[in-house]
Amino acid sequence: MLTLLMTRPRAAAERFVARLAPDLRDRLRVIYAPLLDIVVLPDPVSLDGVRGVIFTSANGVAAGVVAGVHPALPARTLPAYCVGDATAEAARRAGWTVNDCFETADALVAALGDRCPQGPLLHLRGVHARGDIAERLTAAGIKTRAQALYDQRLVALSDAAHRALRGDDPVIVPLFSPRTARQFADAARGPAPLYLAAISEAAAEPLVNMTHSALIVADRPDGAAMAAAVERLSDQASRVEGPRTAQ
């Protein structure tokens, strides 16, 4: 039987598995083995003077709720700019008015740089973040500051994950960030055929030197494209394409 090894935090992993096609889920044994623990930080957050908020992950929205960060102005005057559909949906559920949703951080920076919305803007994010959004927007003339609401602390690979990797059955592993990809590459040992899906080229980079049967990069950096990648890998693994290769 095929194993799907989910390395995202549990809630996000369960949402991802739920979006897979039912017939695909029926073919998979799912192991939840988060490589990150999301820890909300105690620092207070002020929205005084802020004219817009940037969210780049659903974790940022959720951490804001825990920290008591809610729209302090009428929603129509305090827009939220989001990266990713899941982030935008989380922001809407938390009460924010989502003005725009962008596929990537680069797309957000480019679009806001063209529109020049009135600042200051506040990017609510994790300790470990890519893209330098606040710095790039400020350099473009849109005053923006960033505040970390949560930390993404690395977690060791679980015993259940190690057992699967020591077995003979194919293991499909979707990896959603360069940090978790590096953590997985450093920890994974065993003969199980690996079918790896990376959300971006940056996330694929730590994986290329692993022994694997397949490594693909999602067509877009979002959950739908990663689900499609998992389905492709499942089809490949089911066909038993041949021996693993060291890339």
Side-chain angles (χ1 to χ4, degrees):
M1 186 174 191
L2 301 180
T3 294
L4 177 65
L5 180 59
M6 292 300 305
T7 61
R8 302 189 88 181
R10 182 65 183 248
E14 289 179 346
R15 289 195 299 270
F16 178 80
V17 171
R19 77 185 303 165
L20 298 175
D23 63 326
L24 175 57
R25 291 199 303 269
D26 290 344
R27 304 200 307 269
L28 299 173
R29 174 176 68 109
V30 181
I31 294 176
Y32 294 99
L35 290 176
L36 287 179
D37 185 23
I38 304 300
V39 179
V40 178
L41 301 176
D43 303 326
V45 179
S46 173
L47 295 177
D48 291 345
V50 172
R51 298 301 184 93
V53 176
I54 298 170
F55 292 112
T56 47
S57 77
N59 289 326
V61 178
V65 172
V66 174
V69 181
H70 297 284
L73 300 170
R76 63 181 178 275
T77 64
L78 190 61
Y81 305 99
C82 298
V83 174
D85 291 338
T87 304
E89 179 58 29
R92 292 187 187 99
R93 289 198 304 266
W96 299 92
T97 294
V98 177
N99 272 34
D100 287 291
C101 177
F102 304 94
E103 188 172 278
T104 65
D106 287 344
L108 180 147
V109 170
L112 295 189
D114 288 340
R115 299 176 198 173
C116 294
Q118 188 173 9
L121 304 180
L122 176 61
H123 180 197
L124 296 173
R125 59 173 181 79
V127 170
H128 302 277
R130 299 169 62 87
D132 300 322
I133 288 175
E135 294 86 347
R136 292 163 65 190
L137 288 175
T138 298
I142 306 164
K143 185 178 180 181
T144 305
R145 66 181 175 90
Q147 179 168 348
L149 286 183
Y150 63 95
D151 193 6
Q152 309 102 306
R153 297 177 184 172
L154 291 172
V155 177
L157 201 58
S158 72
D159 290 343
H162 281 298
R163 285 194 295 272
L165 295 171
R166 290 195 298 266
D168 297 323
D169 292 335
V171 179
I172 300 171
V173 190
L175 292 150
F176 291 82
S177 75
R179 284 185 80 226
T180 52
R182 170 55 60 196
Q183 178 82 339
F184 179 75
D186 289 344
R189 299 291 184 273
L194 291 180
Y195 290 78
L196 308 174
I199 197 168
S200 65
E201 293 289 351
E205 185 176 347
L207 308 172
V208 294
N209 290 323
M210 297 185 71
T211 299
H212 56 265
S213 294
L215 167 60
I216 61 177
V217 178
D219 294 336
R220 300 177 312 282
D222 60 31
M226 285 293 278
V230 167
E231 184 160 6
R232 287 166 55 194
L233 289 172
S234 174
D235 290 342
Q236 290 183 33
S238 296
R239 291 195 299 268
V240 191
E241 293 187 325
R244 289 168 285 161
T245 59
Q247 302 294 321

